[in-house]
Amino acid sequence: MQVEVWSDVVCPWCYIGKRRLEAALRGFEHADQVEVIYRSFELDPGAPQSADGTLAERLSRKYAVTLEQAQAMNRRVSDTAAGEGLEYNLDIARPGNTFDAHRLIHLAAQEGKQAEMKERLMAAYFVEGRPISDRETLVALGSEVGINVERAREVLAGDEFAEDVRTDERDAGRLGISGVPFFVIAREYGISGAQPAELLRQGLTRAWAEMEPATQT
């Protein structure tokens, strides 16, 4: 059974959702027969390679709130993340375009390392303040999960996997996905948002029960 997850590597709720899905799978008896696939979704496709200002300043402008209100928003999401074992450092986060990061995830998927690459990129952004729009940073992060350095540079220097990212995003549009994280189970059930692990587990159980018996081997 496939679980597809549309998300962006700079979406704070997506990292929380990732942890909650992992917790849901730990309590699901057929977890060894579940394949998790991460699909591309850019929160801001027009974002510059390197954005000016802090994350709080950008949130303040985007939502037309005061800087103090934006900082409070960051504290709330950081507190929620802490409840899932994640230590966000949003004051050092370095916003930027994520298109190349998604291409790198597709390269990693080709090499059987998609989950590792997704995790590494999210940790780099939310915990370490790494510039995940910078190609040399991406190459270095890829190498940490076993992606060949020259292969990563070759991909990022060209347009390889660009169409894969666009295909994921077109699929999101066809499925009516406008916000992330969004979980699609067996292409039958959609769950929007970083829902609690128990709700995700219920979705897994329901989808499994309704699968054709022949597929449950």
Side-chain angles (χ1 to χ4, degrees):
M1 184 170 73
Q2 284 190 346
V3 176
E4 298 165 276
V5 186
W6 272 265
S7 62
D8 200 355
V9 294
V10 296
C11 163
W13 290 103
C14 292
Y15 204 4
I16 293 167
K18 182 176 184 293
R19 281 292 183 273
R20 289 178 174 176
L21 175 61
E22 291 163 354
L25 286 168
R26 284 196 295 273
F28 182 58
E29 64 176 316
H30 305 291
D32 61 336
Q33 296 179 64
V34 173
E35 178 187 19
V36 178
I37 301 174
Y38 291 99
R39 302 295 189 191
S40 303
F41 190 102
E42 296 170 272
L43 288 176
D44 184 3
Q49 284 300 107
S50 180
D52 294 328
T54 65
L55 178 59
E57 289 168 343
R58 288 175 59 81
L59 286 174
S60 174
R61 292 192 296 269
K62 179 177 180 179
Y63 295 110
V65 298
T66 66
L67 181 60
E68 290 73 19
Q69 288 172 319
Q71 290 169 334
M73 290 166 60
N74 280 344
R75 284 194 297 272
R76 285 194 293 273
V77 74
S78 294
D79 289 344
T80 302
E84 306 298 331
L86 297 169
E87 184 181 352
Y88 280 6
N89 293 303
L90 299 182
D91 56 323
I92 62 170
R94 299 170 70 176
N97 193 283
T98 61
F99 187 69
D100 283 339
H102 286 294
R103 292 201 296 135
L104 185 64
I105 292 169
H106 277 281
L107 168 61
Q110 189 179 76
E111 300 190 9
K113 301 178 184 295
Q114 190 194 48
E116 294 90 339
M117 191 73 258
K118 183 78 168 184
E119 176 68 25
R120 188 65 193 93
L121 287 166
M122 287 179 143
Y125 179 77
F126 288 107
V127 181
E128 302 164 15
R130 303 279 290 277
I132 51 84
S133 59
D134 176 73
R135 287 181 175 175
E136 280 305 305
T137 298
L138 291 175
V139 169
L141 294 171
S143 71
E144 291 181 25
V145 301
I147 305 299
N148 178 271
V149 167
E150 294 309 315
R151 176 68 177 128
R153 284 202 180 102
E154 176 187 38
V155 166
L156 295 173
D159 61 1
E160 200 170 348
F161 298 108
E163 185 56 29
D164 298 84
V165 175
R166 296 305 182 213
T167 296
D168 283 352
E169 293 175 335
R170 284 193 294 269
D171 285 347
R174 283 192 285 268
L175 292 167
I177 299 170
S178 58
V180 289
F182 198 98
F183 306 87
V184 177
I185 306 173
R187 281 285 166 131
E188 290 291 332
Y189 299 99
I191 299 176
S192 178
Q195 300 296 336
E198 182 54 37
L199 189 149
L200 293 170
R201 190 178 301 116
Q202 289 172 9
L204 292 168
T205 301
R206 181 180 177 185
W208 183 267
E210 296 189 14
M211 287 172 58
E212 288 295 329
T215 68
Q216 298 181 16
T217 58

